[in-house]
Each structure stands twice: as structure tokens, then as C-alpha cells.
Amino acid sequence: VLVISIIILVVVGFVAVLWIGLARNEPLTGASGSARVSRPAEDFTLPLFGGGELTLSSLRGKPVVINFWASWCPPCREEADILEEMWQRYKDKGVVFIGVDIQDTEEAALAYLREFNITYPNGPDKNGKITIDYGVAGIPVTFFVDREGLIVSRWVGALNEKLLVAKIEELQ
């Protein structure tokens, strides 16, 4: 009887721990990059479509919006016009936008940039290092970096204008 009681107690305990773990779990994409918030932004050098390169650390002193995207991503397409519109609105105020294209072909990425008339700096993460360093597990994901180079927030999913304005204003 004692052995059966111990076995039942162990099984009930295991099921309870499993249930608590599953109840608290969020989708992997929802956690995309969450560990980077409130930490210094990992420096990177991004080769730009059309030539040249951009190094994040060279932008210290400016607020930076880093958006991870791909041409095949439907939510990325939803937010593309809004990102370009906000870039046009805030670039003269010193806010820098950077697009990091992941898991894409160059032809498809360039077609996407043309389709949405995107003019802010964009380039491919060819070896995936930037994506890994930022903990990106799903796209789109956008990081908001303050003037001191600290990631103050991030957003997973398509941004709307109101949300993007609020996040940029936090950086000012």
C-alpha cells in the first residue's frame, strides 16, 4: 500500500509540474528576442543591398529601429509600408531604421524592397549570425535601441502605425 501511494504521489506530482509548465508556455515566436531586452544591443556589420555596409555601433547616439523580415513573410508585408512611412517621418529627427533580411534570396529581397519603395538601409543576414545573436525565432520582430545602445523594447509581429510611433517616441 505504501509503494502504491508513493507511485501515485510521484505520478500526480509529475503531471502537476508538466501542466504548470505547459500552462505558462508561450509560442516560440512570442519569445523571439525577449532575452535581449534591457541589454546592450549586440554589435553587427550588415552588408547593404546595393553596396556598402552598416555597423550598428557607428550609430551610437541615435535611436535605432532594427526590423528582421523576409520577402515570403505575410506579416512582414503587412508592416512594410508603415515602416517606410515612419522612416520618412523620423529620419530627419535622427532616428535610424535598419532592415535585416533573413532566410531569403537576394532577388526576392530586392523585389520586396522595390515593391514597397523601401529606402532605409537594408541588407541580408547571410550566415544568420545577427539573427542568432538577437535570439530571433520568428519574424517579423523589431528591436528598439536607445541612444546609448540599449535595447529598450522589442515587438514580435506586424507593427501598426500607432504602436510604432509609441515605440519610437520612447526612444526620443
Side-chain angles (χ1 to χ4, degrees):
V1 173
L2 181 60
V3 173
I4 293 174
S5 297
I6 292 172
I7 291 172
I8 291 172
L9 189 59
V10 168
V11 169
V12 168
F14 176 75
V15 169
V17 169
L18 182 63
W19 182 80
I20 290 169
L22 290 174
R24 290 185 172 179
N25 195 16
E26 66 176 301
L28 180 59
T29 56
S32 190
S34 62
R36 299 297 312 155
V37 176
S38 300
R39 298 178 63 197
E42 190 73 31
D43 196 21
F44 60 81
T45 298
L46 183 69
L48 298 175
F49 291 119
E53 60 185 28
L54 184 146
T55 300
L56 182 62
S57 59
S58 72
L59 302 173
R60 187 64 54 91
K62 297 180 179 184
V64 180
V65 177
I66 306 170
N67 177 257
F68 288 81
W69 64 275
S71 65
W72 46 262
C73 161
C76 299
R77 300 179 79 75
E78 287 175 29
E79 70 179 8
D81 286 332
I82 295 163
L83 286 163
E84 176 62 24
E85 182 181 325
M86 293 302 104
W87 159 246
Q88 294 297 331
R89 182 183 301 179
Y90 284 96
K91 68 181 180 181
D92 292 338
K93 296 177 183 176
V95 179
V96 178
F97 281 55
I98 302 171
V100 181
D101 178 39
I102 69 171
Q103 300 174 354
D104 220 342
T105 66
E106 184 171 348
E107 298 135 26
L110 290 171
Y112 175 95
L113 295 173
R114 281 190 304 272
E115 177 182 348
F116 294 103
N117 298 311
I118 295 174
T119 61
Y120 57 89
N122 270 271
D125 184 15
K126 292 180 181 177
N127 61 9
K129 183 174 180 351
I130 302 167
T131 304
I132 292 167
D133 287 347
Y134 277 75
V136 173
I139 54 174
V141 63
T142 306
F143 292 86
F144 299 88
V145 182
D146 69 11
R147 296 174 190 279
E148 288 75 46
L150 184 73
I151 297 174
V152 296
S153 65
R154 62 111 173 93
W155 184 261
V156 177
L159 290 157
N160 62 46
E161 182 178 346
K162 183 178 178 180
L163 179 66
L164 187 52
V165 167
K167 294 285 188 183
I168 291 171
E169 293 297 327
E170 286 177 18
L171 299 176
Q172 298 292 324

